[in-house]
Amino acid sequence: MSKDPGDASAPSVKRTELQRHPASVPGKLIVQTLFEIPVGLASGRHSHPGEEVGYLIHGTVAMEFDDRPTLTIHAGEPFLIPPHTIHNARNITDDTTTRMLSTYLVDENEPLVTQYH
């Protein structure tokens, strides 16, 4: 049974900012988030203005890139995504929401996420 996308009870991707602090590098921020992707959903194609250093806490994700092969990441595995790399994190777990912890080193004057359609 599929949910109506306009249904408020429909599951959705959730990014929770855990902390944000100035970095020791002038003009840079360190931002840490908890990112949750329900079964069958994906983050959508996006990029970040700096490195993303991540760790998959729960589930399995297919990290899809525009410029390289898809990387399958399992719970307990780390990952690193270079600055401005367009990617899409897709939950490929059959029965659970994936949870990942991501830390970013980004320019303080740029948005954390840029979405692409």
Side-chain angles (χ1 to χ4, degrees):
M1 179 173 146
S2 66
K3 297 242 184 200
D4 177 345
D7 182 350
S9 66
S12 62
V13 172
K14 181 179 176 186
R15 179 180 279 116
T16 304
E17 188 171 301
L18 303 174
Q19 58 181 331
R20 175 183 290 254
H21 301 284
S24 60
V25 178
K28 298 289 186 177
L29 290 174
I30 297 171
V31 181
Q32 190 171 57
T33 66
L34 175 64
F35 195 59
E36 300 171 276
I37 307 172
V39 173
L41 296 183
S43 63
R45 291 175 63 247
H46 67 283
S47 67
H48 308 283
E51 288 84 356
E52 177 180 0
V53 180
Y55 178 80
L56 194 61
I57 299 167
H58 192 74
T60 303
V61 166
M63 193 68 72
E64 303 164 342
F65 299 95
D66 281 8
D67 64 348
R68 65 189 80 177
T70 297
L71 176 64
T72 301
I73 306 166
H74 302 279
E77 294 180 345
F79 60 93
L80 179 109
I81 299 174
H84 306 287
T85 300
I86 298 173
H87 58 287
N88 180 40
R90 182 175 306 284
N91 180 349
I92 58 172
T93 310
D94 290 335
D95 60 356
T96 190
T97 295
T98 59
R99 299 175 72 221
M100 66 181 76
L101 182 66
S102 289
T103 303
Y104 309 89
L105 178 63
V106 295
D107 187 304
E108 65 185 3
N109 297 316
E110 293 187 50
L112 180 62
V113 179
T114 299
Q115 291 290 149
Y116 301 90
H117 300 286

